[in-house]
Amino acid sequence: MATVYSLHPRNPQQRTVESICEALRRGAIMLYPTDTVYAIGCDLNDKSAVQRVRQLKQLSNDKPLTFLCSSLSNISEYAQVADSAYRLMRRLIPGPYTFLLPATKLVPKLVMNPKRKTTGIRVPDSSVCQSILTILDNPIISTSAHLPDQDDWQQLDKAALFDRFEKLVDMIIDDDQDTGYLVSSIIDLTGQEPEVLRQGLGWEKLEGLLSSAD
């Protein structure tokens, strides 16, 4: 049965966040709120926890996993960021955007795309996520709380979502906010020009920035 932690959405209680991070360091996986949807996550560098997330989502090892970083400078440790990509990203971070970038050696093989050596990274506009990232001092995996048998996941309210996951994860983080169902926009920054792979939250702002750069 998962332990439920309640956090204030704007001023998360540090002692509670420390307890969450201690569990993550021990290999726990969690259901937690982001600035887009509820996500399943764990410490990026805990191989067994990452494998548990893959099994829960029924993802083969050739399917990359997105993870959260605390800042643009933090992203540069885990990805190669070209000048043009940096200029775009700094206008969008923090926010509901996933950036596909060439991975550095710090990205575990179990997380990246094994053929392209790329990785998906986000910097969330979420006090809860940022507090966990700061105290854990590691990126955290972020994959939507959409299980293979959950065609109705976007109709689930928070109570039903928690019921669905209480025996599947070690921790459930509740920020006392409504559950979001709109996913992030995905931008591929591995080529010469940005390529939008998915139009999600924040698309209007992204479209405006890309149009002004033409």
Side-chain angles (χ1 to χ4, degrees):
M1 204 72 130
T3 301
V4 179
Y5 292 94
S6 296
L7 289 175
H8 191 280
R10 289 175 298 281
N11 298 295
Q13 304 89 320
Q14 182 165 334
R15 184 173 296 181
T16 305
V17 176
E18 287 173 349
S19 297
I20 292 167
C21 291
E22 287 173 7
L24 290 173
R25 294 187 188 104
R26 295 194 301 267
I29 65 173
M30 61 180 176
L31 177 72
Y32 69 105
T34 71
D35 54 345
T36 56
V37 298
Y38 256 82
I40 305 165
C42 65
D43 186 329
L44 175 74
N45 291 321
D46 191 302
K47 185 176 180 179
S48 61
V50 173
Q51 192 60 60
R52 284 181 63 200
V53 172
R54 284 195 172 280
Q55 291 170 352
L56 187 57
K57 292 274 290 190
Q58 296 182 23
L59 294 173
S60 60
N61 287 348
D62 62 347
K63 299 293 184 183
L65 288 168
T66 294
F67 58 91
L68 305 183
C69 282
S70 59
S71 64
L72 184 49
S73 60
N74 190 208
I75 285 181
S76 65
E77 298 177 42
Y78 294 90
Q80 300 168 28
V81 182
D83 289 344
S84 58
Y86 178 87
R87 288 192 294 271
L88 177 64
M89 291 166 67
R90 72 178 181 180
R91 304 280 297 276
L92 297 171
I93 286 174
Y97 304 96
T98 299
F99 304 102
L100 190 62
L101 294 157
T104 67
K105 292 181 179 179
L106 287 182
V107 179
K109 291 182 179 178
L110 195 57
V111 173
M112 73 171 73
N113 183 313
K115 294 181 180 179
R116 297 187 64 197
K117 299 294 190 290
T118 57
T119 192
I121 307 180
R122 290 192 56 217
V123 176
D125 187 12
S126 159
S127 297
V128 168
C129 292
Q130 287 290 348
S131 296
I132 294 172
L133 289 165
T134 298
I135 293 177
L136 183 64
D137 199 27
N138 262 342
I140 51 177
I141 293 295
S142 180
T143 178
S144 68
H146 177 201
L147 299 180
D149 62 346
Q150 277 186 321
D151 293 333
D152 64 339
W153 79 291
Q154 291 183 313
Q155 281 74 52
L156 294 178
D157 60 20
K158 183 183 285 187
L161 183 68
F162 286 5
D163 286 346
R164 187 76 64 92
F165 277 89
E166 64 179 357
K167 294 181 181 179
L168 301 177
V169 298
D170 304 304
M171 298 184 288
I172 293 175
I173 316 302
D174 186 0
D175 65 352
D176 198 31
Q177 300 290 293
D178 291 336
T179 307
Y181 296 106
L182 298 177
V183 293
S184 65
S185 293
I186 301 178
I187 311 103
D188 187 341
L189 297 175
T190 60
Q192 293 294 321
E193 299 292 334
E195 181 184 355
V196 177
L197 303 183
R198 182 175 72 193
Q199 296 180 15
L201 271 176
W203 163 243
E204 294 81 5
K205 180 178 180 180
L206 174 59
E207 184 181 31
L209 289 175
L210 294 177
S211 298
S212 65
D214 290 342

